[in-house]
Coordinates of all heavy atoms in Angstrom, one line a residue:
Y4 N 70.0 85.6 78.8 CA 70.4 86.9 78.9 C 69.4 87.6 79.9 O 68.3 87.3 79.8 CB 70.3 87.6 77.5 CG 70.8 89.0 77.5 CD1 72.2 89.3 77.4 CD2 69.9 90.1 77.6 CE1 72.6 90.5 77.4 CE2 70.4 91.4 77.6 CZ 71.7 91.6 77.5 OH 72.2 92.9 77.5
P5 N 69.9 88.6 80.8 CA 71.2 89.0 80.9 C 72.0 88.0 81.7 O 71.5 87.3 82.5 CB 71.0 90.3 81.7 CG 69.8 90.2 82.5 CD 68.9 89.3 81.6
Y6 N 73.3 88.0 81.6 CA 74.2 87.1 82.2 C 74.2 87.3 83.7 O 74.2 88.5 84.2 CB 75.6 87.2 81.7 CG 75.7 86.8 80.2 CD1 76.0 87.8 79.3 CD2 75.5 85.5 79.8 CE1 76.0 87.5 78.0 CE2 75.5 85.2 78.4 CZ 75.8 86.2 77.5 OH 75.8 85.9 76.2
A7 N 74.2 86.3 84.5 CA 74.3 86.5 86.0 C 75.7 86.9 86.3 O 76.7 86.4 85.9 CB 74.0 85.1 86.7
I8 N 75.8 88.0 87.2 CA 77.1 88.5 87.6 C 77.2 88.5 89.1 O 78.2 88.9 89.7 CB 77.4 89.9 87.1 CG1 76.3 90.9 87.6 CG2 77.5 89.9 85.6 CD1 76.6 92.3 87.3
T9 N 76.3 87.8 89.8 CA 76.4 87.7 91.3 C 77.6 86.9 91.7 O 77.8 85.9 91.1 CB 75.1 87.0 91.8 OG1 74.0 87.7 91.3 CG2 75.1 86.9 93.3
N10 N 78.3 87.5 92.6 CA 79.5 86.8 93.1 C 80.5 86.5 91.9 O 81.2 85.5 92.0 CB 79.2 85.6 93.9 CG 80.4 85.2 94.8 OD1 81.1 86.1 95.3 ND2 80.5 83.9 95.1
R11 N 80.6 87.4 91.0 CA 81.4 87.2 89.8 C 82.9 87.0 90.2 O 83.6 86.1 89.6 CB 81.3 88.3 88.8 CG 82.0 88.2 87.6 CD 81.7 89.4 86.7 NE 81.7 89.0 85.3 CZ 81.3 89.7 84.4 NH1 80.9 91.0 84.6 NH2 81.3 89.3 83.1
G12 N 83.4 87.7 91.1 CA 84.8 87.6 91.5 C 85.0 86.6 92.6 O 86.2 86.4 93.1
G13 N 84.0 85.9 93.0 CA 84.1 84.9 94.1 C 84.3 85.5 95.4 O 84.1 86.7 95.6
I14 N 84.5 84.7 96.5 CA 84.7 85.2 97.8 C 86.2 85.4 98.0 O 87.0 84.6 97.8 CB 84.1 84.2 98.9 CG1 82.6 84.0 98.7 CG2 84.4 84.6 100.3 CD1 82.0 83.0 99.5
S15 N 86.5 86.6 98.5 CA 87.9 87.0 98.8 C 88.5 86.0 99.7 O 87.9 85.6 100.7 CB 88.0 88.4 99.3 OG 87.5 89.4 98.4
E16 N 89.8 85.8 99.6 CA 90.6 85.0 100.5 C 91.7 85.9 101.0 O 92.4 86.4 100.3 CB 91.2 83.7 99.8 CG 92.0 82.9 100.7 CD 92.6 81.7 99.9 OE1 91.8 80.7 99.7 OE2 93.7 81.8 99.6
I17 N 91.8 85.9 102.3 CA 92.9 86.7 103.0 C 93.8 85.7 103.8 O 93.2 85.0 104.7 CB 92.4 87.8 103.8 CG1 91.6 88.7 103.0 CG2 93.5 88.5 104.6 CD1 90.9 89.9 103.8
P18 N 95.0 85.6 103.6 CA 95.9 84.6 104.3 C 96.3 85.2 105.7 O 96.6 86.4 105.8 CB 97.1 84.4 103.4 CG 97.2 85.7 102.7 CD 95.8 86.2 102.5
V19 N 96.4 84.3 106.7 CA 97.1 84.5 107.9 C 98.6 84.2 107.7 O 98.9 83.1 107.5 CB 96.5 83.8 109.1 CG1 97.2 83.9 110.4 CG2 95.0 84.0 109.3
T20 N 99.4 85.3 107.9 CA 100.9 85.1 107.6 C 101.6 84.6 108.8 O 102.7 84.0 108.6 CB 101.5 86.4 107.0 OG1 101.2 87.4 107.9 CG2 100.8 86.7 105.7
S21 N 101.2 85.0 109.9 CA 101.8 84.5 111.2 C 100.8 84.6 112.4 O 99.8 85.3 112.3 CB 103.0 85.3 111.5 OG 102.7 86.6 111.7
V22 N 101.1 83.9 113.4 CA 100.3 84.0 114.7 C 101.3 84.5 115.8 O 102.3 83.9 116.0 CB 99.7 82.6 115.0 CG1 98.9 82.6 116.3 CG2 98.8 82.1 113.9
S23 N 100.7 85.5 116.5 CA 101.4 86.0 117.7 C 100.6 85.6 119.0 O 99.4 85.9 119.1 CB 101.6 87.5 117.6 OG 102.3 87.9 116.5
V24 N 101.2 85.0 119.9 CA 100.6 84.6 121.2 C 101.2 85.4 122.4 O 102.4 85.4 122.5 CB 100.7 83.1 121.4 CG1 100.1 82.7 122.7 CG2 100.2 82.3 120.3
T25 N 100.3 86.1 123.1 CA 100.7 86.7 124.3 C 100.0 86.1 125.5 O 99.1 85.2 125.3 CB 100.5 88.2 124.3 OG1 99.1 88.5 124.3 CG2 101.1 88.8 123.1

Side-chain angles (χ1 to χ4, degrees):
Y4 185 81
Y6 300 109
I8 59 171
T9 303
N10 199 28
R11 186 179 212 171
I14 296 174
S15 299
E16 179 182 280
I17 300 176
V19 173
T20 56
S21 65
V22 175
S23 304
V24 178
T25 70

